[in-house]
Amino acid sequence: MAAVADDASMDAVQRRLMFEDECILVDENDVVIGHESKYNCHLVEKIESLNLLHRAFSVFLFNSKYELLLQQRSETKVTFPLVWTNTCCSHPLYRESELIQENYLGVRNAAQRKLLDELGIPAEDIPVDEFIPLGRMLYKAPSDGKWGEHEVDYLLFIVRDVKLLPNPDEVADVKYVNRDQLKELLRKADAGEEGVKLSPWFRLVVDNFLMEWWARVEQGTLLEAADMETIHKLV
């Protein structure tokens, strides 16, 4: 319980999630090798000493105008508070429904669960078979001196018009952007204007994949870009 005592100042909701959620540990080929608490998976000390690598997902949700939904992470988030990022970013948990490998159903189930948790989007509005897995990337990123990320991240796209009811424990703000508005957000982040910060995983996707894939969303050719064989190592 020493870890709990050490983090007594942590927001109660985030502390519960940190200690109750069990992330899926994988090797660099995304083969499941075990499980570990969300807390330990995000401690830089554990990431470095044990090379802990866990499975994650990033959802990119577009409306029928092909605008991308962004969220600003809550101030109480343990890692990367108040940064702007893609629609939803989280982890499949070490449970039967989220370990299913076939058709990436475990990751899709987790995405559906977290879109409800974070943004209030009901499952019937985002059927699991509507998520398009486009690729996987492996990256490592520090949040501060104590916390960080080391993930194999599944990149999921979906085009749906949805109603939002953001959870303030998870999300500080939301907005839809077109490509020009996203470029302006990137400019502000690069210039340090208005305190704008972007999550490192979102920036990696923007810099390596997003604009091409966004064009394919508009053209209706997104499936042609899918490559789930490769794990892009962006570390």
Side-chain angles (χ1 to χ4, degrees):
M1 297 295 291
V4 178
D6 290 346
D7 291 281
S9 62
M10 191 184 297
D11 173 78
V13 171
Q14 297 300 327
R15 173 138 54 115
R16 175 177 58 79
L17 294 174
M18 275 289 191
F19 287 98
E20 290 183 3
D21 285 357
E22 289 283 314
C23 292
I24 301 169
L25 295 181
V26 295
D27 65 16
E28 290 196 355
N29 295 312
D30 194 30
V31 175
V32 177
I33 58 174
H35 57 95
E36 186 54 85
S37 69
K38 183 178 176 184
Y39 183 93
N40 282 338
C41 284
H42 292 85
L43 277 175
V44 169
E45 175 189 355
K46 299 288 187 182
I47 292 171
E48 297 298 338
S49 64
L50 302 176
N51 196 33
L52 293 184
L53 175 65
H54 62 276
R55 188 174 285 170
F57 65 83
S58 291
V59 174
F60 293 73
L61 183 148
F62 297 82
N63 62 20
S64 57
K65 295 189 289 185
Y66 304 124
E67 296 169 322
L68 174 62
L69 178 61
L70 303 183
Q71 69 155 278
Q72 184 183 34
R73 291 162 64 86
S74 166
E75 186 176 13
T76 62
K77 297 288 278 188
V78 175
T79 57
F80 303 100
L82 293 177
V83 305
W84 283 95
T85 192
N86 50 285
T87 311
C88 180
C89 334
S90 191
H91 317 92
L93 300 180
Y94 194 80
R95 57 175 64 161
E96 185 177 359
S97 63
E98 298 184 10
L99 283 162
I100 302 169
Q101 301 280 91
E102 185 178 3
N103 295 322
Y104 317 105
L105 184 57
V107 174
R108 295 182 193 208
N109 284 337
Q112 188 185 65
R113 170 178 59 83
K114 286 303 293 183
L115 283 164
L116 174 61
D117 287 350
E118 295 190 2
L119 295 167
I121 304 173
E124 57 267 25
D125 289 352
I126 42 169
V128 291
D129 59 1
E130 292 287 322
F131 291 101
I132 301 174
L134 286 179
R136 293 174 291 174
M137 68 178 187
L138 191 161
Y139 77 97
K140 182 188 290 186
S143 176
D144 55 25
K146 180 174 183 177
W147 304 104
E149 295 284 6
H150 190 208
E151 300 182 330
V152 173
D153 194 7
Y154 284 64
L155 308 177
L156 307 176
F157 275 42
I158 186 169
V159 181
R160 302 284 289 188
D161 287 321
V162 296
K163 293 181 180 178
L164 302 173
L165 186 63
N167 175 358
D169 288 323
E170 297 282 351
V171 177
D173 199 3
V174 294
K175 61 182 173 183
Y176 283 96
V177 294
N178 60 32
R179 274 179 282 191
D180 287 340
Q181 290 166 332
L182 177 59
K183 289 175 183 176
E184 176 62 10
L185 192 69
L186 296 173
R187 187 197 65 77
K188 288 181 178 179
D190 289 343
E193 291 182 13
E194 301 176 17
V196 172
K197 295 181 180 179
L198 303 179
S199 73
W201 59 88
F202 179 48
R203 191 59 192 255
L204 284 171
V205 176
V206 170
D207 290 345
N208 289 277
F209 311 111
L210 181 59
M211 294 309 176
E212 177 192 345
W213 290 351
W214 199 331
R216 287 186 175 274
V217 170
E218 296 174 339
Q219 296 161 7
T221 61
L222 190 58
L223 283 172
E224 296 175 14
D227 173 12
M228 294 303 293
E229 297 299 317
T230 305
I231 299 175
H232 301 275
K233 296 184 178 181
L234 304 176
V235 291

